[in-house]
Amino acid sequence: MAAVVLVGAQWGDEGKGKITDYLAEKAQVVVRYQGGSNAGHTVMVGEEEFKLHLVPSGILYPGRLCLIGNGVVVDPAILVQELDGLAERGIDTAGLRISSRAHLILPYHKGLDAAQEEHRGAAQIGTTRRGIGPAYVDKTARTGIRVGDLLDWPVFREKLAPNLIAVNELLAKIYDQPGYDLEAILDEYAGYARRLEPLIADTGRLVNEALNDGRRVLFEGAQGTLLDLDQGTYPFVTSSYPTAGGACIGAGVGPTRIDKVIGVVKAYTTRVGAGPFPAEITGAAGDLLREQGREYGTTTGRPRRCGWLDTVILRHAAQVNGLTGIALTKLDVLTGINPLRICTGYRYRGSIIQDFPASLEALQQCEPVYEEVPGWQEDITAARSLAELPGACRSYVRRLEELTGVPVHLIAVGPRRDQTIVVEEIF
Ligand code: IMP
């Protein structure tokens, strides 16, 4: 199997960093295909913790080709900071390449993100304020500036100047905010241009060549299915396509090249930011899960809202991504919670529905329907096979497979690389 897409099956924060890291050992190429520095992937190497925002997690293995694809929006300030941080810790970043077609995040995208959030008042989306939405708006409005433009300075200036006139007017007249200075941005970005120039490449060609040569390629999704612009809980979504189809568009490969799509599923559900969340656990029980699972945002530090495993969401994820397998994460966090609950459907206007509703208004009215299952007390962090898991734990995994129709291939029983049960090899 040569091409595997890894997607978040819930609202992001499923523990994709750990699974990517596990798969990157066997992959030769790792590609990010959407999102930007709103993502935060935590990877443990031994006792050392790495938090990555833009650089594909594969960078932690020497010799991997790591690509930032055309579908990513790149904040060069954060990228340079991340590269410096990795170098300081002795990680070789020579294998990184950035698509010349990827769009740049400019300072005004971050300013607009914050100003628009403030302006929304009670209707805030709860964005990471990293400029993601405004950068994708510019991309679709065809006023974006791309990474490749850093290589042609007169063109960069020519594109930036009219954008700034429009943005400054918008900031002053609508949001009552100060504007941005052209020369200051040019100065700052000239530095990034010098630094990033050797890394800019046609990453679509590189990934297709790798596939032609039979090399193993991992497409590393950020965020998750319910944050997808079309398939998620719109408008409480991000502005890109984290679902599997996004990998083709955002990496520049055809759908016929993809062999497997793995959904990363956390053993319970979490969400950051606003919006409906039917299986949410409020009060002390939710707080306990947050503490046990260390559920605080990697990028923003915000506490995550916690809830029970919701298989309505997972059936939706299985469908829209064409999942061929599941990587189940953080199963150890559920140890000691008894009984456990699994959401199997929603009660909506007097009837039980099995499908995830498209309308946010409908979702807001949905009541979760739960199945209670026994929990387990045993520490499972040392288990390395299904047989070593307590019976109740194995039943939980089996029930997840039955309710989603997707087989579980990997189970994470702790944050470290070795704390993984392989049910079926993915590469
Ligand atoms: P944005 O992507 O910063 O525009 O934020 C839009 C929504 O996506 C907000 O609810 C964020 O909390 C959420 N979001 C963005 N990136 C992530 C992520 O990596 N994990 C979880 N939620 C995210």
Side-chain angles (χ1 to χ4, degrees):
M1 283 293 177
V4 174
V5 180
L6 192 76
V7 296
Q10 295 150 319
W11 270 292
D13 308 316
E14 296 92 352
K16 291 180 295 295
K18 150 135 187 171
I19 303 299
T20 309
D21 178 65
Y22 173 81
L23 293 176
E25 190 182 2
K26 295 212 175 126
Q28 290 143 310
V29 183
V30 184
V31 193
R32 267 286 301 270
Y33 58 84
Q34 45 70 231
S37 48
N38 50 348
H41 291 164
T42 307
V43 182
M44 293 293 292
V45 181
E47 294 305 316
E48 248 196 290
E49 188 176 74
F50 289 86
K51 287 183 191 287
L52 299 167
H53 297 286
L54 267 170
V55 176
S57 311
I59 205 77
L60 301 175
Y61 287 97
R64 300 297 181 279
L65 181 60
C66 289
L67 306 177
I68 295 181
N70 56 274
V72 175
V73 283
V74 177
D75 184 337
I78 293 192
L79 181 58
V80 163
Q81 216 177 60
E82 202 161 302
L83 289 174
D84 287 345
L86 287 167
E88 267 168 35
R89 296 172 74 178
I91 305 292
D92 180 9
T93 57
L96 181 72
R97 295 291 177 275
I98 310 157
S99 170
S100 55
R101 290 184 168 90
H103 280 247
L104 284 169
I105 292 193
L106 287 130
Y108 53 81
H109 292 132
K110 290 182 262 192
L112 278 172
D113 198 351
Q116 287 165 350
E117 275 288 85
E118 295 302 329
H119 196 72
R120 285 181 192 117
Q124 275 194 14
I125 294 168
T127 74
T128 59
R129 302 192 178 202
R130 296 294 176 104
I132 306 299
Y136 279 116
V137 165
D138 275 1
K139 173 176 172 169
T140 33
R142 294 158 294 183
T143 53
I145 302 179
R146 305 201 292 181
V147 168
D149 294 326
L150 290 170
L151 303 176
D152 192 337
W153 209 236
V155 166
F156 189 90
R157 174 186 273 272
E158 221 171 85
K159 291 186 175 177
L160 182 59
N163 279 6
L164 265 192
I165 293 171
V167 163
N168 285 346
E169 198 153 326
L170 183 66
L171 281 167
K173 294 196 175 150
I174 307 285
Y175 301 114
D176 196 21
Q177 295 284 327
Y180 289 84
D181 178 58
L182 176 66
E183 295 306 325
I185 298 182
L186 284 171
D187 257 10
E188 184 186 345
Y189 278 63
Y192 303 141
R194 278 191 296 276
R195 181 76 193 271
L196 299 179
E197 185 180 347
L199 306 180
I200 300 172
D202 182 350
T203 55
R205 188 173 54 74
L206 294 177
V207 71
N208 278 287
E209 277 173 7
L211 290 168
N212 292 343
D213 294 346
R215 288 197 276 159
R216 290 181 293 274
V217 178
L218 177 65
F219 298 88
E220 174 187 5
Q223 287 85 45
T225 301
L226 291 188
L227 291 172
D228 185 277
L229 194 49
D230 279 10
Q231 301 301 337
T233 40
Y234 190 89
F236 296 100
V237 291
T238 191
S239 299
S240 67
Y241 298 102
T243 47
C248 293
I249 293 170
V253 299
T256 49
R257 313 234 48 178
I258 306 299
D259 298 304
K260 287 185 180 179
V261 181
I262 305 298
V264 184
V265 173
K266 183 149 58 182
Y268 48 96
T269 314
T270 60
R271 168 163 211 189
V272 271
F277 180 175
E280 184 166 14
I281 311 170
T282 50
D287 295 343
L288 179 72
L289 198 51
R290 183 176 311 111
E291 293 315 312
Q292 280 189 203
R294 299 205 295 164
E295 294 295 351
Y296 293 89
T298 312
T299 302
T300 58
R302 288 180 290 176
R304 296 175 184 146
R305 299 156 66 193
C306 295
W308 300 108
L309 187 70
D310 183 337
T311 57
V312 182
I313 288 174
L314 297 178
R315 283 191 293 272
H316 176 65
Q319 178 175 297
V320 301
N321 292 296
L323 295 185
T324 58
I326 284 176
L328 181 61
T329 61
K330 295 188 123 174
L331 189 57
D332 54 301
V333 173
L334 296 183
T335 298
I337 302 177
N338 198 12
L340 292 164
R341 288 172 143 192
I342 298 176
C343 174
T344 56
Y346 297 151
R347 190 168 290 108
Y348 175 62
R349 293 192 174 164
S351 26
I352 308 269
I353 58 168
Q354 305 286 336
D355 297 321
F356 194 71
S359 141
L360 201 70
E361 288 67 32
L363 188 63
Q364 247 145 5
Q365 293 172 45
C366 283
E367 298 274 331
V369 176
Y370 290 119
E371 184 175 293
E372 249 180 34
V373 295
W376 57 91
Q377 300 298 326
E378 299 89 333
D379 179 359
I380 61 167
T381 55
R384 294 294 176 268
S385 70
L386 270 182
E388 289 170 67
L389 291 176
C393 191
R394 280 202 305 274
S395 302
Y396 190 77
V397 174
R398 214 172 303 124
R399 196 69 189 122
L400 164 66
E401 293 183 318
E402 284 165 5
L403 289 165
T404 57
V406 185
V408 170
H409 290 342
L410 293 180
I411 304 173
V413 290
R416 290 200 323 262
R417 272 182 184 169
D418 64 302
Q419 291 175 312
T420 308
I421 295 174
V422 183
V423 182
E424 187 181 318
E425 285 290 3
I426 290 169
F427 272 122

